[in-house]
Amino acid sequence: MEQIQPKNKIFRQAFKSSNRPHILMVSNHGVHEWHVVPGLPDTGGQNVYVNQFSAALTHFGYRITIANRGGYPHPVTGKWQRGLHYLDEYQRLLYLEDSLNEFIRKEDMHGQIPALVRALENFFETD
């Protein structure tokens, strides 16, 4: 499941070797990314808040994993929302995948929760 872009290997190693306390944040929005594009479905203020809160927590000595549903192409770029994406050595975004390869609105995501929880458990068992 884990896909790491070559440029992020340094961040991954630093993240994994850090002794900072780790916080898992879960975002229920359909499209979460480091650079929020306003106007996309399920994208807006909460996404900005989650990213800014994550940055503030790293300032206070934490490392953060933001988990969000992925497994589908980005609505603008077409790039698949998969794997881990590091912003820096203390912040990473984890796209969890289920059996559907399409965008689902946050209001309709309840049926996917069991599969997403299993994906999250599997990730932390192997991370």
Side-chain angles (χ1 to χ4, degrees), residues 98-119:
D98 54 32
S99 61
L100 298 177
N101 293 332
E102 60 192 48
F103 171 80
I104 299 176
R105 297 177 334 132
K106 65 183 176 291
E107 295 86 359
D108 301 324
M109 207 177 296
H110 58 277
Q112 302 311 112
I113 291 174
L116 297 173
V117 169
R118 282 191 300 277

Side-chain angles (χ1 to χ4, degrees), residues 51-103:
N51 287 347
Q52 289 179 348
F53 188 46
S54 175
L57 289 170
T58 63
H59 176 75
F60 289 107
Y62 294 92
R63 58 192 170 117
I64 311 298
T65 299
I66 301 171
N68 187 245
R69 182 180 178 272
Y72 60 90
H74 187 278
V76 174
T77 66
K79 182 179 176 186
W80 281 85
Q81 308 280 38
R82 288 191 165 134
L84 281 170
H85 299 267
Y86 288 80
L87 180 64
D88 56 33
E89 64 270 30
Y90 303 122
Q91 299 175 83
R92 64 185 183 177
L93 174 57
L94 169 64
Y95 289 113
L96 301 171
E97 297 186 44
D98 54 32
S99 61
L100 298 177
N101 293 332
E102 60 192 48
F103 171 80

Side-chain angles (χ1 to χ4, degrees), residues 2 7 9 22 24 26 28-29 33 37 41 52 61 65 70-71 83 85 93 116 125 127:
E2 184 176 359
K7 67 179 184 172
K9 286 184 180 181
H22 182 226
L24 171 65
V26 177
N28 65 334
H29 274 61
E33 53 194 338
V37 179
Q52 289 179 348
T65 299
H85 299 267
L93 174 57
L116 297 173
E125 286 174 0
D127 182 46

